Amino acid sequence: MTEFYQTGMGRKFYERDVPKIAESLATIAEQLARLNQNIEKLNENMSKPKQAE
C-alpha cells in the first residue's frame, strides 16, 4: 500500500501546507508578543497617577 507521503496529496501536504502552517504560527506568535507588549504599556500608563496641571 502506498504511504500518504508518497501520494500527490501527501507531497503537497508536507511540501506546501505544513510550511505554510508553520509560517502562519510564527506570525501569530509575533503578533501575540506585540499585543502583550502593548497591553503591558497600557497597564503601566493607566496605573501611573495623573499629575495636576
Side-chain angles (χ1 to χ4, degrees):
M1 184 171 164
T2 305
E3 297 293 329
F4 177 68
Y5 70 90
Q6 295 172 323
T7 66
M9 286 179 61
R11 279 192 302 276
K12 177 190 172 290
F13 177 75
Y14 287 112
E15 292 174 4
R16 278 192 261 163
D17 296 338
V18 170
K20 275 185 170 182
I21 292 168
E23 289 172 17
S24 296
L25 287 173
T27 301
I28 291 168
E30 290 170 13
Q31 294 299 320
L32 281 173
R34 285 183 58 211
L35 178 62
N36 242 359
Q37 290 172 349
N38 290 335
I39 290 172
E40 287 174 3
K41 286 179 187 176
L42 181 61
N43 284 337
E44 288 172 10
N45 290 338
M46 291 180 71
S47 64
K48 290 181 185 176
K50 291 187 177 180
Q51 296 178 350
E53 294 179 16

